[in-house]
Amino acid sequence: MSKLSVLDMAGKKVSDIELKDSIFSIEPNMSAMHLVVVSYLANQRQGTQSTKTRSEVSGGGKKPWRQKGTGRARQGSTRSPQWYHGGIALGPKPRTYGIDVNKKVRRLAMKSALSSKVAADEMIVLDSVKLDAIKTKEIAKMFEAIKAQKKVLVVLPENNEVIYKSARNIEGAKVSTVNTLNVYDILNCDTIVVLKDAVTKIEEVYA
């Protein structure tokens, strides 16, 4: 088992923690991570864009002029696509961009992402985060003490409004819980800060 130091909010080592090799020390599978990230980004698209076809725009019920004898091209409606205020031909309609990914591939991608962070020495384990009130300054001070770089992802065992609201104003910082953790956020951050209890929970979920 790989071993990491457990730090307190002041950046001092308080203990060690052993990480399960089956989750934090596997050979990262690049294909699985790529597929899951593509799926995640595709699922963020709303796909609500919509244009009206000739059957949906108002008006155009009457034939604008008789079929023959006028010298003009035959027309059946003033709402055909070639007319001003006519319908749109082949325009976008609501659709889903979602990509389904096999459950085993998602689990493999998550383990690969976590393992890559441990291998790159970009994962920090915290004993706990104790705040009496919402204090952005305290979280910023903690990041500086533990040497968390630029984009920071904080992983909590469960939802904590005080920590979430304290960190949300810090540029590049994001707070997630174990049940909302995703591969994209892990790979997109420079440092992942995981609470000790969250490590235990991750190991329970992905063991």
Side-chain angles (χ1 to χ4, degrees):
M1 287 189 174
S2 54
K3 188 181 289 186
L4 284 182
S5 299
V6 179
L7 309 179
D8 61 12
M9 291 180 67
K12 295 177 181 178
K13 179 179 175 179
V14 293
S15 64
D16 289 316
I17 186 171
E18 289 189 340
L19 305 175
K20 285 187 178 179
D21 290 343
S22 60
I23 299 172
F24 294 98
S25 296
I26 71 167
E27 181 69 30
N29 188 306
M30 306 304 288
S31 297
M33 289 192 290
H34 176 262
L35 183 59
V36 170
V37 168
V38 168
S39 172
Y40 174 82
L41 294 174
N43 291 336
Q44 304 306 301
R45 299 182 68 178
Q46 290 186 319
T48 55
Q49 71 275 41
S50 182
T51 54
K52 290 185 177 181
T53 64
R54 61 181 292 172
S55 65
E56 294 170 320
V57 291
S58 61
K62 181 185 176 184
K63 188 173 173 67
W65 50 75
R66 60 196 175 99
Q67 182 81 345
K68 295 179 177 290
T70 64
R72 289 179 288 187
R74 56 195 176 191
Q75 302 291 332
S77 169
T78 58
R79 291 300 177 261
S80 297
Q82 72 270 23
W83 282 75
Y84 180 64
H85 285 315
I88 301 298
L90 308 176
K93 281 293 185 183
R95 55 164 289 193
T96 175
Y97 292 91
I99 299 173
D100 288 331
V101 179
N102 187 290
K103 185 177 179 180
K104 287 184 179 179
V105 176
R106 290 201 307 270
R107 292 175 70 89
L108 176 59
M110 179 64 77
K111 292 177 183 179
S112 297
L114 291 169
S115 297
S116 66
K117 285 298 177 184
V118 173
D121 200 24
E122 294 175 352
M123 178 169 161
I124 298 170
V125 180
L126 274 185
D127 185 45
S128 63
V129 177
K130 295 176 182 176
L131 295 174
D132 297 327
I134 298 169
K135 289 279 186 180
T136 300
K137 190 183 291 184
E138 290 296 318
I139 296 293
K141 186 179 175 183
M142 180 188 77
F143 286 166
E144 188 176 344
I146 64 177
K147 296 184 171 69
Q149 302 295 319
K150 299 177 184 177
K151 288 184 178 179
V152 184
L153 175 65
V154 181
V155 183
L156 308 176
E158 55 193 21
N159 192 38
N160 188 313
E161 283 293 312
V162 175
I163 297 175
Y164 169 73
K165 289 182 177 179
S166 297
R168 66 182 177 182
N169 273 347
I170 301 174
E171 186 179 1
K174 183 170 184 178
V175 177
S176 177
T177 57
V178 173
N179 60 347
T180 60
L181 188 62
N182 63 78
V183 175
Y184 176 79
D185 285 341
I186 295 172
L187 297 177
N188 192 43
C189 71
D190 296 304
T191 306
I192 177 170
V193 179
V194 189
L195 267 66
K196 188 177 177 181
D197 291 343
V199 172
T200 305
K201 206 165 183 179
I202 289 171
E203 290 180 339
E204 288 175 0
V205 172
Y206 294 98

